[in-house]
Amino acid sequence: MTVFETIYEAVKMIPAGSVATYGQVAEAAGNRRLARVVGYALHVNPEPGVIPCHRVVKKDGEVSRAFAFGGINRQVELLQGEGVGFRDGTHVDMEHFQVPFLPWVPSGRIK
DNA sequence: AACCTGACTCGCC
DNA sequence: AGGCGAGCCAGGT
């Protein structure tokens, strides 16, 4: 079991129609400083259709520029399709769509 | 096997 | 208030 696995589990917990920040996912995985690793984890193992990586944004609501899943525009499109509102073309309306609380994943016990 | 880098954040200057 | 460095993990060179 690696931290990556834990991260993936956390991301899968984000409900449709909501978004979470890298920090929240990292926190759910047990350590907030893993925020950077979260980004890397999603980058190397996007597992399309399984891990909703389009629901993960930066803390200010801006979508990642390196979204390798049809382009950043595609990510925005998917989110809007789930009912997520935007303040502008690249920033999610965090005030109303950020997941209030992400279930804590017992770090390193998923196997 | 060591070193560098990368979808982030936060704290100190 | 804006810029910079540190902390974390895994995979490629």
Coordinates of all heavy atoms in Angstrom, one line a residue, chain A residues 11-99:
Chain A
V11 N -9.8 10.8 -3.5 CA -10.4 11.5 -4.6 C -11.7 10.9 -5.0 O -12.6 11.6 -5.4 CB -9.4 11.4 -5.8 CG1 -10.0 12.0 -7.0 CG2 -8.1 12.2 -5.4
K12 N -11.8 9.6 -4.9 CA -13.0 8.9 -5.3 C -14.2 9.3 -4.4 O -15.3 9.1 -4.8 CB -12.8 7.4 -5.3 CG -11.9 6.8 -6.3 CD -11.7 5.3 -6.1 CE -10.6 4.8 -7.0 NZ -10.3 3.4 -6.7
M13 N -13.9 9.8 -3.2 CA -14.9 10.1 -2.3 C -15.6 11.5 -2.6 O -16.6 11.8 -2.0 CB -14.4 10.2 -0.9 CG -14.2 8.8 -0.3 SD -13.6 9.0 1.4 CE -12.0 8.2 1.2
I14 N -15.0 12.2 -3.4 CA -15.5 13.6 -3.7 C -16.9 13.4 -4.5 O -16.9 12.7 -5.5 CB -14.6 14.4 -4.7 CG1 -13.2 14.5 -4.0 CG2 -15.2 15.7 -4.9 CD1 -12.2 15.1 -4.9
P15 N -18.0 13.8 -3.9 CA -19.3 13.7 -4.5 C -19.5 14.5 -5.8 O -18.9 15.5 -5.9 CB -20.2 14.2 -3.4 CG -19.4 15.2 -2.7 CD -18.0 14.6 -2.6
A16 N -20.2 13.9 -6.7 CA -20.5 14.6 -8.0 C -21.2 16.0 -7.7 O -22.0 16.1 -6.8 CB -21.4 13.8 -8.9
G17 N -20.8 17.0 -8.5 CA -21.4 18.3 -8.2 C -20.6 19.1 -7.2 O -21.0 20.2 -6.9
S18 N -19.5 18.6 -6.8 CA -18.7 19.3 -5.8 C -17.2 19.2 -6.2 O -16.9 18.3 -7.0 CB -18.8 18.7 -4.4 OG -20.2 18.8 -4.0
V19 N -16.4 20.0 -5.6 CA -14.9 19.9 -5.9 C -14.2 20.0 -4.6 O -14.7 20.4 -3.6 CB -14.5 21.1 -6.8 CG1 -15.2 21.1 -8.2 CG2 -14.7 22.4 -6.1
A20 N -12.9 19.5 -4.7 CA -12.1 19.6 -3.5 C -10.7 20.1 -3.9 O -10.4 20.0 -5.0 CB -12.0 18.2 -2.9
T21 N -10.0 20.7 -2.9 CA -8.7 21.2 -3.2 C -7.7 20.1 -3.0 O -7.9 19.1 -2.4 CB -8.4 22.4 -2.3 OG1 -8.2 21.9 -1.0 CG2 -9.4 23.5 -2.4
Y22 N -6.5 20.3 -3.6 CA -5.4 19.3 -3.4 C -5.2 19.2 -1.9 O -4.9 18.1 -1.4 CB -4.2 19.8 -4.2 CG -4.3 19.8 -5.7 CD1 -4.8 20.9 -6.4 CD2 -4.0 18.6 -6.3 CE1 -4.9 20.8 -7.7 CE2 -4.2 18.5 -7.7 CZ -4.6 19.6 -8.4 OH -4.8 19.6 -9.8
G23 N -5.2 20.3 -1.2 CA -5.0 20.3 0.2 C -6.0 19.4 0.9 O -5.6 18.7 1.8
Q24 N -7.2 19.5 0.6 CA -8.2 18.7 1.2 C -8.0 17.2 1.0 O -8.1 16.4 1.9 CB -9.6 19.0 0.7 CG -10.2 20.3 1.3 CD -11.6 20.5 0.9 OE1 -11.9 20.8 -0.3 NE2 -12.6 20.4 1.7
V25 N -7.7 16.9 -0.3 CA -7.4 15.5 -0.6 C -6.2 15.0 0.2 O -6.2 13.9 0.8 CB -7.1 15.3 -2.1 CG1 -6.7 13.9 -2.4 CG2 -8.3 15.7 -2.9
A26 N -5.2 15.8 0.3 CA -4.0 15.5 1.0 C -4.3 15.3 2.5 O -3.8 14.3 3.1 CB -2.9 16.6 0.9
E27 N -5.1 16.1 3.0 CA -5.5 16.0 4.4 C -6.3 14.8 4.6 O -6.1 14.1 5.6 CB -6.4 17.3 4.7 CG -6.5 17.5 6.2 CD -7.1 18.8 6.5 OE1 -8.1 19.2 5.9 OE2 -6.6 19.5 7.4
A28 N -7.2 14.4 3.7 CA -8.0 13.2 3.8 C -7.1 12.0 3.8 O -7.4 11.0 4.4 CB -9.0 13.2 2.7
A29 N -6.0 12.1 3.1 CA -5.0 11.0 2.9 C -4.1 10.9 4.2 O -3.3 10.0 4.2 CB -4.2 11.2 1.7
G30 N -4.3 11.9 5.1 CA -3.5 11.8 6.3 C -2.5 12.9 6.5 O -2.1 13.1 7.7
N31 N -2.0 13.6 5.5 CA -1.0 14.6 5.7 C -1.2 15.8 4.7 O -1.1 15.6 3.5 CB 0.4 14.0 5.5 CG 1.4 14.9 6.1 OD1 1.2 16.1 6.3 ND2 2.5 14.3 6.4
R32 N -1.5 16.9 5.2 CA -1.8 18.0 4.3 C -0.6 18.4 3.4 O -0.8 18.9 2.3 CB -2.1 19.3 5.1 CG -2.2 20.4 4.3 CD -2.1 21.6 5.1 NE -3.4 21.8 5.8 CZ -3.6 23.0 6.4 NH1 -2.7 23.9 6.4 NH2 -4.7 23.2 7.0
R33 N 0.6 18.1 3.8 CA 1.8 18.5 3.0 C 1.9 17.6 1.7 O 2.8 17.8 0.9 CB 3.0 18.3 3.8 CG 2.9 19.3 5.0 CD 4.3 19.6 5.5 NE 4.2 20.7 6.4 CZ 4.4 20.6 7.7 NH1 4.8 19.4 8.1 NH2 4.3 21.6 8.5
L34 N 1.0 16.6 1.7 CA 1.0 15.7 0.5 C 0.4 16.4 -0.7 O 0.3 15.8 -1.8 CB 0.3 14.4 0.8 CG 1.0 13.5 1.9 CD1 0.1 12.3 2.2 CD2 2.3 13.0 1.4
A35 N -0.1 17.6 -0.5 CA -0.8 18.3 -1.6 C 0.0 18.2 -2.9 O -0.6 17.9 -4.0 CB -0.9 19.8 -1.2
R36 N 1.2 18.4 -2.9 CA 2.0 18.3 -4.1 C 2.0 16.9 -4.7 O 1.9 16.7 -5.9 CB 3.5 18.6 -3.7 CG 4.3 18.9 -4.9 CD 5.7 19.3 -4.4 NE 6.4 20.0 -5.4 CZ 7.7 20.4 -5.3 NH1 8.3 20.1 -4.1 NH2 8.3 20.9 -6.2
V37 N 2.1 15.9 -3.8 CA 2.1 14.5 -4.2 C 0.8 14.1 -4.8 O 0.7 13.3 -5.7 CB 2.4 13.6 -3.0 CG1 2.5 12.1 -3.4 CG2 3.7 14.0 -2.3
V38 N -0.3 14.8 -4.3 CA -1.6 14.5 -4.8 C -1.6 14.8 -6.3 O -2.1 14.0 -7.1 CB -2.7 15.3 -4.1 CG1 -4.0 15.2 -4.8 CG2 -2.8 14.9 -2.7
G39 N -1.1 16.0 -6.6 CA -1.1 16.4 -8.0 C -0.3 15.4 -8.9 O -0.7 15.0 -10.0
Y40 N 0.9 15.0 -8.3 CA 1.7 14.1 -9.0 C 1.0 12.7 -9.2 O 1.1 12.1 -10.3 CB 3.0 13.9 -8.3 CG 4.0 13.0 -9.0 CD1 4.5 13.4 -10.2 CD2 4.3 11.7 -8.5 CE1 5.4 12.6 -10.9 CE2 5.2 10.9 -9.1 CZ 5.8 11.3 -10.4 OH 6.6 10.5 -11.0
A41 N 0.3 12.3 -8.2 CA -0.4 11.0 -8.2 C -1.4 11.0 -9.3 O -1.5 10.0 -10.1 CB -1.0 10.8 -6.9
L42 N -2.2 12.0 -9.4 CA -3.2 12.1 -10.4 C -2.6 12.2 -11.8 O -3.1 11.7 -12.8 CB -4.1 13.3 -10.2 CG -4.9 13.3 -8.9 CD1 -5.8 14.5 -8.8 CD2 -5.8 12.0 -8.9
H43 N -1.5 12.8 -11.9 CA -0.8 13.1 -13.1 C -0.3 11.7 -13.7 O -0.4 11.5 -14.9 CB 0.4 14.0 -12.9 CG 1.3 14.2 -14.1 ND1 0.8 14.8 -15.3 CD2 2.5 13.8 -14.4 CE1 1.8 14.8 -16.2 NE2 2.8 14.2 -15.7
V44 N 0.3 10.9 -12.9 CA 0.9 9.7 -13.4 C -0.1 8.5 -13.5 O 0.1 7.5 -14.2 CB 2.1 9.2 -12.5 CG1 3.2 10.2 -12.6 CG2 1.6 8.9 -11.1
N45 N -1.2 8.6 -12.8 CA -2.2 7.5 -12.8 C -3.6 8.0 -12.8 O -4.3 7.7 -11.9 CB -1.9 6.6 -11.6 CG -2.6 5.2 -11.8 OD1 -3.3 5.0 -12.8 ND2 -2.4 4.3 -10.9
P46 N -4.0 8.7 -13.8 CA -5.3 9.3 -14.0 C -6.5 8.3 -13.9 O -7.6 8.6 -13.7 CB -5.3 10.0 -15.3 CG -3.8 10.2 -15.5 CD -3.2 9.0 -15.0
E47 N -6.2 7.0 -14.2 CA -7.3 6.0 -14.3 C -8.6 6.6 -14.7 O -9.6 6.6 -13.9 CB -7.5 5.3 -12.9 CG -6.4 4.4 -12.6 CD -6.7 3.5 -11.4 OE1 -7.6 2.6 -11.6 OE2 -6.2 3.7 -10.3
P48 N -8.7 7.0 -15.9 CA -10.0 7.6 -16.5 C -11.2 6.7 -16.2 O -11.2 5.5 -16.3 CB -9.7 7.6 -18.0 CG -8.2 7.7 -18.1 CD -7.7 6.9 -17.0
G49 N -12.2 7.4 -15.7 CA -13.5 6.7 -15.4 C -13.5 6.1 -14.0 O -14.6 5.8 -13.5
V50 N -12.4 6.1 -13.3 CA -12.4 5.6 -12.0 C -12.1 6.7 -11.0 O -12.8 6.8 -10.0 CB -11.3 4.5 -11.8 CG1 -11.3 3.9 -10.4 CG2 -11.5 3.4 -12.9
I51 N -11.1 7.4 -11.3 CA -10.7 8.6 -10.4 C -11.2 9.9 -11.0 O -10.7 10.3 -12.1 CB -9.2 8.6 -10.2 CG1 -8.7 7.3 -9.6 CG2 -8.8 9.7 -9.3 CD1 -7.2 7.1 -9.6
P52 N -12.2 10.5 -10.4 CA -12.7 11.8 -10.9 C -11.7 13.0 -10.7 O -12.0 13.9 -9.9 CB -14.0 12.0 -10.1 CG -13.6 11.4 -8.8 CD -12.8 10.2 -9.1
C53 N -10.6 12.9 -11.3 CA -9.5 13.9 -11.1 C -10.0 15.4 -11.5 O -9.4 16.3 -11.1 CB -8.3 13.6 -11.8 SG -8.5 13.0 -13.5
H54 N -11.1 15.4 -12.3 CA -11.5 16.8 -12.7 C -12.2 17.5 -11.6 O -12.4 18.7 -11.6 CB -12.5 16.6 -13.9 CG -13.7 15.8 -13.6 ND1 -13.6 14.4 -13.6 CD2 -14.9 16.2 -13.3 CE1 -14.9 14.0 -13.3 NE2 -15.7 15.0 -13.1
R55 N -12.5 16.8 -10.5 CA -13.1 17.5 -9.3 C -12.1 18.0 -8.3 O -12.4 18.5 -7.2 CB -14.0 16.5 -8.6 CG -15.1 16.0 -9.4 CD -16.2 15.3 -8.6 NE -17.1 14.6 -9.5 CZ -17.4 13.3 -9.4 NH1 -16.9 12.7 -8.4 NH2 -18.2 12.7 -10.2
V56 N -10.8 17.9 -8.7 CA -9.7 18.4 -7.8 C -9.2 19.7 -8.4 O -8.7 19.7 -9.5 CB -8.6 17.4 -7.7 CG1 -7.6 17.9 -6.7 CG2 -9.2 16.1 -7.2
V57 N -9.2 20.8 -7.6 CA -8.7 22.1 -8.1 C -7.8 22.7 -7.0 O -7.7 22.2 -5.9 CB -9.9 23.1 -8.3 CG1 -10.8 22.5 -9.4 CG2 -10.6 23.3 -7.0
K58 N -7.1 23.8 -7.4 CA -6.2 24.4 -6.4 C -7.1 25.2 -5.4 O -8.3 25.3 -5.5 CB -5.3 25.5 -7.2 CG -4.5 24.8 -8.2 CD -3.2 25.5 -8.5 CE -3.4 26.8 -9.1 NZ -2.1 27.4 -9.5
K59 N -6.4 25.6 -4.3 CA -7.2 26.1 -3.2 C -8.0 27.4 -3.6 O -9.0 27.7 -2.9 CB -6.3 26.4 -2.0 CG -5.7 27.7 -1.9 CD -5.1 27.9 -0.6 CE -4.2 29.1 -0.3 NZ -4.2 30.3 -0.8
D60 N -7.6 28.1 -4.5 CA -8.3 29.3 -4.9 C -9.4 29.0 -6.0 O -10.1 29.9 -6.5 CB -7.4 30.4 -5.5 CG -6.6 29.9 -6.7 OD1 -6.8 28.7 -7.1 OD2 -5.8 30.7 -7.2
G61 N -9.6 27.7 -6.3 CA -10.6 27.3 -7.2 C -10.2 27.2 -8.6 O -10.9 26.8 -9.5
E62 N -8.9 27.6 -8.9 CA -8.5 27.5 -10.3 C -8.1 26.1 -10.7 O -7.5 25.4 -10.0 CB -7.2 28.4 -10.4 CG -6.7 28.4 -11.8 CD -5.4 29.3 -11.9 OE1 -4.7 29.4 -10.9 OE2 -5.2 29.8 -13.0
V63 N -8.6 25.7 -11.9 CA -8.3 24.4 -12.4 C -6.9 24.3 -12.8 O -6.3 25.3 -13.3 CB -9.3 24.0 -13.6 CG1 -10.7 24.1 -13.1 CG2 -9.0 25.0 -14.7
S64 N -6.3 23.1 -12.7 CA -4.9 22.9 -13.1 C -4.7 23.1 -14.6 O -5.5 22.7 -15.4 CB -4.5 21.5 -12.7 OG -3.3 21.2 -13.3
R65 N -3.6 23.7 -14.9 CA -3.3 24.0 -16.4 C -2.8 22.8 -17.1 O -2.9 22.6 -18.3 CB -2.3 25.1 -16.5 CG -1.0 24.7 -15.8 CD 0.0 25.9 -15.9 NE 1.2 25.6 -15.2 CZ 2.1 24.7 -15.6 NH1 1.9 24.0 -16.7 NH2 3.2 24.5 -14.9
A66 N -2.3 21.8 -16.3 CA -1.7 20.6 -16.9 C -2.7 19.4 -17.0 O -2.3 18.3 -17.0 CB -0.5 20.2 -16.1
F67 N -4.0 19.7 -17.0 CA -5.0 18.7 -17.1 C -4.8 17.9 -18.4 O -5.2 18.4 -19.4 CB -6.4 19.3 -17.0 CG -7.4 18.3 -16.8 CD1 -7.5 17.5 -15.6 CD2 -8.4 18.0 -17.8 CE1 -8.5 16.6 -15.4 CE2 -9.4 17.1 -17.6 CZ -9.4 16.4 -16.4
A68 N -4.3 16.7 -18.4 CA -4.0 16.0 -19.6 C -5.2 15.0 -19.9 O -5.0 13.8 -20.1 CB -2.7 15.2 -19.4
F69 N -6.3 15.6 -20.0 CA -7.5 14.7 -20.2 C -8.5 15.3 -21.2 O -9.6 15.3 -21.1 CB -8.2 14.5 -18.9 CG -9.1 13.3 -18.8 CD1 -8.5 12.1 -19.0 CD2 -10.4 13.5 -18.6 CE1 -9.3 10.9 -18.9 CE2 -11.2 12.3 -18.5 CZ -10.7 11.1 -18.7
G70 N -7.9 15.9 -22.3 CA -8.7 16.5 -23.3 C -8.6 18.0 -23.2 O -9.3 18.8 -23.8
G71 N -7.6 18.5 -22.3 CA -7.4 19.9 -22.1 C -8.2 20.5 -20.9 O -9.1 19.9 -20.5
I72 N -7.7 21.6 -20.5 CA -8.3 22.2 -19.3 C -9.7 22.6 -19.5 O -10.6 22.6 -18.6 CB -7.5 23.5 -19.0 CG1 -7.9 24.1 -17.6 CG2 -7.6 24.6 -20.0 CD1 -7.1 25.3 -17.2
N73 N -10.0 22.9 -20.8 CA -11.4 23.2 -21.1 C -12.3 22.1 -20.9 O -13.5 22.2 -20.5 CB -11.4 23.6 -22.6 CG -12.5 24.6 -22.9 OD1 -12.8 25.5 -22.2 ND2 -13.3 24.3 -24.0
R74 N -11.8 20.9 -21.1 CA -12.6 19.7 -21.0 C -13.0 19.5 -19.5 O -14.1 19.1 -19.1 CB -11.8 18.5 -21.4 CG -12.4 17.1 -21.3 CD -13.8 17.1 -22.0 NE -14.4 15.8 -21.9 CZ -15.7 15.5 -22.1 NH1 -16.4 16.5 -22.5 NH2 -16.1 14.3 -22.0
Q75 N -12.0 19.8 -18.6 CA -12.3 19.7 -17.2 C -13.4 20.6 -16.7 O -14.3 20.2 -16.0 CB -11.0 20.0 -16.4 CG -11.2 20.0 -14.9 CD -9.9 20.2 -14.1 OE1 -8.9 20.6 -14.7 NE2 -9.9 19.9 -12.9
V76 N -13.3 21.8 -17.2 CA -14.4 22.8 -16.9 C -15.7 22.4 -17.4 O -16.7 22.4 -16.7 CB -14.0 24.2 -17.5 CG1 -15.2 25.2 -17.3 CG2 -12.7 24.7 -17.0
E77 N -15.7 21.8 -18.6 CA -16.9 21.3 -19.2 C -17.6 20.2 -18.3 O -18.8 20.2 -18.1 CB -16.5 20.7 -20.6 CG -17.7 20.7 -21.5 CD -17.2 20.3 -22.9 OE1 -16.3 21.0 -23.5 OE2 -17.7 19.3 -23.4
L78 N -16.7 19.3 -17.9 CA -17.2 18.2 -17.1 C -17.8 18.7 -15.8 O -18.9 18.2 -15.4 CB -16.1 17.2 -16.7 CG -15.6 16.3 -17.9 CD1 -14.3 15.6 -17.5 CD2 -16.6 15.3 -18.3
L79 N -17.2 19.6 -15.1 CA -17.7 20.1 -13.9 C -19.0 20.9 -14.1 O -19.9 20.7 -13.3 CB -16.6 21.1 -13.3 CG -15.3 20.4 -12.8 CD1 -14.3 21.5 -12.3 CD2 -15.7 19.5 -11.6
Q80 N -19.1 21.7 -15.1 CA -20.3 22.4 -15.3 C -21.4 21.4 -15.6 O -22.6 21.6 -15.2 CB -20.2 23.3 -16.6 CG -19.2 24.4 -16.3 CD -19.0 25.4 -17.5 OE1 -19.0 24.9 -18.6 NE2 -19.0 26.6 -17.2
G81 N -21.1 20.3 -16.3 CA -22.1 19.2 -16.5 C -22.6 18.6 -15.3 O -23.7 18.1 -15.2
E82 N -21.8 18.7 -14.2 CA -22.3 18.1 -12.9 C -23.0 19.2 -12.1 O -23.4 18.9 -11.0 CB -21.1 17.6 -12.1 CG -20.4 16.4 -12.8 CD -19.2 15.9 -12.0 OE1 -18.8 16.6 -11.1 OE2 -18.8 14.8 -12.3
G83 N -23.1 20.4 -12.6 CA -23.8 21.4 -11.9 C -22.9 22.4 -11.1 O -23.3 23.2 -10.3
V84 N -21.6 22.2 -11.2 CA -20.6 23.1 -10.5 C -20.6 24.5 -11.2 O -20.4 24.6 -12.4 CB -19.2 22.5 -10.5 CG1 -18.2 23.4 -9.9 CG2 -19.2 21.1 -9.8
G85 N -20.7 25.5 -10.4 CA -20.7 26.9 -10.9 C -19.3 27.5 -11.0 O -18.4 27.1 -10.2
F86 N -19.1 28.4 -11.9 CA -17.8 29.0 -12.1 C -17.9 30.6 -11.9 O -18.9 31.2 -12.3 CB -17.2 28.7 -13.4 CG -16.6 27.3 -13.5 CD1 -17.5 26.2 -13.5 CD2 -15.3 27.1 -13.6 CE1 -17.0 24.9 -13.6 CE2 -14.7 25.8 -13.6 CZ -15.6 24.7 -13.6
R87 N -16.8 31.1 -11.4 CA -16.8 32.6 -11.3 C -16.3 33.2 -12.6 O -16.6 34.3 -12.9 CB -15.8 33.0 -10.2 CG -16.3 32.5 -8.8 CD -15.4 33.1 -7.7 NE -14.0 32.8 -8.0 CZ -13.0 33.0 -7.1 NH1 -13.4 33.4 -5.9 NH2 -11.8 32.7 -7.4
D88 N -15.5 32.4 -13.3 CA -15.0 32.9 -14.6 C -14.6 31.6 -15.4 O -14.9 30.5 -14.9 CB -13.9 33.8 -14.5 CG -12.7 33.2 -13.8 OD1 -12.4 32.0 -14.0 OD2 -12.0 33.9 -13.0
G89 N -14.0 31.7 -16.5 CA -13.6 30.6 -17.3 C -12.7 29.5 -16.6 O -12.7 28.4 -17.0
T90 N -12.0 29.9 -15.6 CA -11.0 29.0 -15.0 C -11.1 28.8 -13.5 O -10.5 28.0 -12.9 CB -9.6 29.3 -15.4 OG1 -9.4 30.7 -15.0 CG2 -9.3 29.2 -16.8
H91 N -12.0 29.6 -12.9 CA -12.2 29.5 -11.4 C -13.5 29.0 -10.9 O -14.5 29.6 -11.2 CB -11.9 30.9 -10.8 CG -10.5 31.3 -10.9 ND1 -9.9 31.6 -12.1 CD2 -9.5 31.4 -10.0 CE1 -8.6 32.0 -11.9 NE2 -8.4 31.9 -10.6
V92 N -13.5 27.9 -10.2 CA -14.7 27.3 -9.6 C -15.2 28.2 -8.5 O -14.4 28.9 -7.8 CB -14.4 25.9 -9.0 CG1 -15.6 25.4 -8.3 CG2 -14.0 25.0 -10.1
D93 N -16.5 28.3 -8.3 CA -17.1 29.1 -7.3 C -17.0 28.3 -6.0 O -17.9 27.5 -5.6 CB -18.6 29.3 -7.6 CG -19.3 30.1 -6.5 OD1 -18.7 30.4 -5.5 OD2 -20.5 30.5 -6.7
M94 N -15.8 28.4 -5.4 CA -15.5 27.7 -4.1 C -16.5 27.9 -3.0 O -16.8 27.0 -2.2 CB -14.1 28.0 -3.7 CG -13.0 27.7 -4.7 SD -13.1 25.9 -5.2 CE -12.0 25.3 -3.8
E95 N -17.0 29.1 -2.9 CA -17.9 29.4 -1.8 C -19.1 28.5 -1.8 O -19.6 28.1 -0.7 CB -18.5 30.8 -2.0 CG -17.4 31.9 -2.0 CD -16.7 31.9 -0.6 OE1 -17.4 32.0 0.4 OE2 -15.4 31.9 -0.6
H96 N -19.6 28.0 -2.9 CA -20.8 27.1 -2.9 C -20.6 25.7 -3.4 O -21.4 24.9 -3.2 CB -21.8 27.8 -3.8 CG -22.2 29.2 -3.4 ND1 -22.1 30.3 -4.2 CD2 -22.6 29.6 -2.2 CE1 -22.4 31.4 -3.5 NE2 -22.8 31.0 -2.3
F97 N -19.4 25.4 -4.1 CA -19.3 24.1 -4.6 C -18.1 23.2 -4.0 O -17.9 22.1 -4.3 CB -19.2 24.1 -6.1 CG -20.4 24.7 -6.7 CD1 -20.5 26.0 -7.1 CD2 -21.6 23.9 -6.9 CE1 -21.7 26.6 -7.6 CE2 -22.7 24.4 -7.4 CZ -22.8 25.7 -7.8
Q98 N -17.3 23.9 -3.1 CA -16.3 23.1 -2.5 C -16.9 22.1 -1.5 O -17.7 22.5 -0.7 CB -15.3 24.0 -1.8 CG -14.1 23.3 -1.1 CD -13.1 24.2 -0.5 OE1 -12.0 23.8 -0.2 NE2 -13.5 25.4 -0.4
V99 N -16.4 20.9 -1.5 CA -17.0 19.9 -0.6 C -16.6 20.4 0.8 O -15.4 20.7 1.1 CB -16.3 18.5 -0.9 CG1 -14.9 18.5 -0.7 CG2 -17.0 17.5 0.1

